[in-house]
Amino acid sequence: MRRISRITVAGAATASLALALSACGGTSTSSSSSSESKGDKGLAIAYDVGGRGDQSFNDAAFAGLEKARKEFGYKTRDIEPTDGETDADKEQRLVSLAKQGYNPVIGVGYAYAAAVKGAAEKYPDTTFGIVDDATVEAENVADLVFSEEEASYLAGVAAAETTKTNVVGFVGGVDIPLIHKFRAGFEQGVKDTDPKVKVISQFLTQTAEEGGFSSPDKGKSAAEGQIEKKADVVYAAAGLSGQGVIEAAAANKVWAIGVDSDQYKQEALAKYKDSILTSAMKDVAKAVYNLAKSVEDGKPATGIVKGDLKTGEVSLSNSNPKFADDAELQEAIETAKEKIVSGEIKVKSS
């Protein structure tokens, strides 16, 4: 039986780490020259589709890497994906990082499953991590997963309590089980709060290769279509494509709900922030950092490392004062949260 590890983190960490998120792209980065002089290498991450600068999923992973670099004073590395790459390309990227001495090495996104499995077999003394996938079973692999449906349920409560038209929207980046979790939780939260509210759901693409997570124009077009159908709150679980959803919401003076990171605080989205009601966050930053810390402490985490509402690793952001100061809305969300944590509410994941 494989060992199951659980790392508990504070939900508030994402808000603080968000300050470290970068809005720029680039191929890779490493530590400053002062820490490079130590000669030791630590955490390395390989990005998912969209890369750094998505103001969401990948940027959260980068924030975790930056926190580890500053705290442990070692050299880090982060590498962008390439268009049309194969599993073999991904595996070679991870193998190269392990060969250079980086430890741990994390694949950011479910698409790295086969690559992490292959690389972990070749380098059994290196700890590997994969975000959003629980299928890789190995003694030196940590599966960093989250109960996204629980935060999405709370987003659904917020949407149902906020809508004036009784129509809300969901935009998913790619039609895959991971994004089904976001949709299922959101739809359940809406319906449990107010059965009269209609949810319009749409996936941008069938595969990631078609740009579902990396095309703001697709997100904007989908949101505009939902807004034309009277949606006045639109929730996006679409990576970089979600920026287009937020842009469309701002242009049409309706609410957007962000995802993964606290998008109200994202510098690249500052001009739209007054239209971002809240964000359904999962603390990828803390999960990445905690895996690095476990290696640094000589007790590498392996197995399934899961974050949920109970442990504080998924949550709703409170950065928008209009959201945070709405006592009735906050009471509804807190009540729903308590029922989920106690088990009274069972949130669907599909």
Side-chain angles (χ1 to χ4, degrees), residues 58 64 120 125 157 181 210 272 314 350:
N58 289 298
D125 293 330
V157 173
K181 292 169 68 179
E210 295 171 278
Y272 308 126
V314 300
S350 63

Side-chain angles (χ1 to χ4, degrees), residues 7 72 104 127 142 289-302:
I7 297 176
F72 306 134
T127 296
Y289 165 79
N290 271 350
L291 182 57
K293 187 176 189 303
S294 75
V295 173
E296 187 74 4
D297 291 344
K299 300 177 181 179
T302 61

Side-chain angles (χ1 to χ4, degrees), residues 163-171 198-202 216-236 241-257 272 275-276:
T163 181
K164 306 297 184 186
T165 63
N166 281 345
V167 181
V168 300
F170 171 80
V171 177
K198 178 182 179 182
V199 182
I200 304 172
S201 293
Q202 179 179 345
D217 58 325
K218 294 182 188 294
K220 182 178 180 181
S221 178
E224 288 172 342
Q226 294 182 350
I227 293 167
E228 286 178 4
K229 295 176 181 177
K230 306 302 182 185
D232 61 350
V233 184
V234 184
Y235 173 39
S241 299
Q243 292 189 31
V245 174
I246 292 170
E247 182 182 351
N252 288 276
K253 294 180 169 53
V254 303
W255 287 113
I257 295 178
Y272 308 126
S275 296
I276 302 174

Side-chain angles (χ1 to χ4, degrees), residues 158 162 255 262 264 276-279 316-331 333:
T162 302
W255 287 113
D262 185 353
Y264 183 88
I276 302 174
L277 181 66
T278 181
S279 296
L316 284 190
S317 64
N318 272 328
S319 298
N320 189 331
K322 291 183 179 178
F323 176 76
D325 296 341
D326 188 326
E328 185 176 342
L329 176 55
Q330 291 299 321
E331 182 179 358
I333 291 169

Side-chain angles (χ1 to χ4, degrees), residues 7-10 13-14 17 21 42-48 56-69 71-72 74 76-78 103-109 127-132 142-146 282-296 300-301 305-307 313:
I7 297 176
T8 303
V9 300
T14 297
L17 286 172
L21 301 184
L43 173 62
I45 61 177
Y47 292 118
D48 197 5
S56 182
F57 183 73
N58 289 298
D59 277 357
F62 177 71
L65 177 140
E66 283 289 272
K67 181 175 172 65
R69 179 183 66 79
E71 182 164 328
F72 306 134
Y74 55 32
T76 60
R77 186 84 184 274
D78 62 314
N103 188 23
V105 175
I106 301 177
V108 183
T127 296
F128 290 85
I130 181 167
V131 180
D132 281 350
D143 299 324
L144 310 177
V145 294
F146 304 84
K282 61 181 182 183
D283 213 336
V284 174
K286 196 65 176 181
V288 166
Y289 165 79
N290 271 350
L291 182 57
K293 187 176 189 303
S294 75
V295 173
E296 187 74 4
V305 183
K306 189 169 187 178
E313 293 172 66

